[in-house]
Amino acid sequence: RNNLIAALVRRNDRAALPKLQVVLFSYAGGVTSRGNLIFALQFVDSKAAVPILARALTLPDGELRQDAARSLQNAGTNASEEAINALSAAIDDPDREVQFYVMQSLGYLNRELYWRPHSSDPKEDFGNPYWNECLDHWRQFVAARRAAHIDQH
C-alpha cells in the first residue's frame, strides 16, 4: 500500500497526498516505508510537498526527520521561503544527523554552500571544528530572520 502511494506521489499525483499524510503521521508502517513516502514528496509540486515535509521534521523518529530535511533541499527550491522556515525551526534538533541535513539544505537553498558541512557522512563532521562554525552561522541566520520577522510586525 505504501509503495503504491509513493509511486503515485512520484508521478505528481496530488490525489495521493491525503493518504500519504494518513500513513506518515498515523505511525502506520515501518520507518523505511515512511521514509520512502517522505522521499517521494520531492517529486510533488513544492507548494503541496513543503508543508508536509515541514510537519515531518517534527516526527519523533530521527531517521524520518533526517529524510525530511534532505527532501526539503530538493522540494523546497520552488517554495524556498517556507522550506527555509521549516529548516530554520529544526536547526537545534537534538539529533546531530538531523542538524547535518538541515545545514546541508539551508546552505543549498540559500546558495551559501560554504556553510554546509564538508563531508557526505554526518558522522565524519561531528568532531570537526568547522561543524561548530557552520552551526553557529545557521543559528545566527535563524536569529536574524526571527528578528526581521518581529520588526515587520
Side-chain angles (χ1 to χ4, degrees):
R1 178 176 144 192
N2 291 355
N3 290 337
L4 178 59
I5 294 169
L8 289 171
V9 169
R10 282 190 188 104
R11 292 181 48 167
N12 202 14
D13 185 343
R14 293 178 66 160
L17 291 179
K19 289 181 179 161
L20 178 143
Q21 291 182 77
V22 167
V23 172
L24 187 59
F25 298 114
S26 70
Y27 309 105
V31 171
T32 301
S33 64
R34 291 168 59 213
N36 290 339
L37 294 177
I38 289 171
F39 176 76
L41 284 167
Q42 297 176 73
F43 301 100
V44 177
D45 172 56
S46 297
K47 301 287 185 203
V50 169
I52 299 168
L53 291 168
R55 186 174 170 205
L57 275 174
T58 66
L59 288 166
D61 187 276
E63 191 174 324
L64 294 174
R65 294 193 313 277
Q66 291 169 37
D67 291 341
R70 276 191 297 233
S71 294
L72 275 164
Q73 175 175 309
N74 297 322
T77 54
N78 293 326
S80 60
E81 191 66 25
E82 192 174 355
I84 290 168
N85 288 340
L87 291 161
S88 295
I91 193 64
D92 286 316
D93 191 284
D95 183 323
R96 289 187 55 118
E97 290 185 49
V98 174
Q99 286 181 338
F100 174 88
Y101 292 112
V102 165
M103 289 189 285
Q104 289 283 340
S105 295
L106 283 170
Y108 179 80
L109 291 172
N110 286 292
R111 292 172 174 69
E112 292 188 43
L113 301 182
Y114 176 79
W115 292 109
R116 293 170 29 156
H118 293 307
S119 74
S120 60
D121 180 1
K123 291 179 179 75
E124 290 180 22
D125 275 314
F126 290 161
N128 184 334
Y130 185 65
W131 171 273
N132 290 327
E133 291 177 37
C134 289
L135 193 55
D136 288 343
H137 170 79
W138 291 114
R139 285 177 174 153
Q140 291 171 11
F141 170 84
V142 169
R145 283 178 62 88
R146 288 182 181 144
H149 180 73
I150 291 169
D151 288 345
Q152 291 176 358
H153 295 348

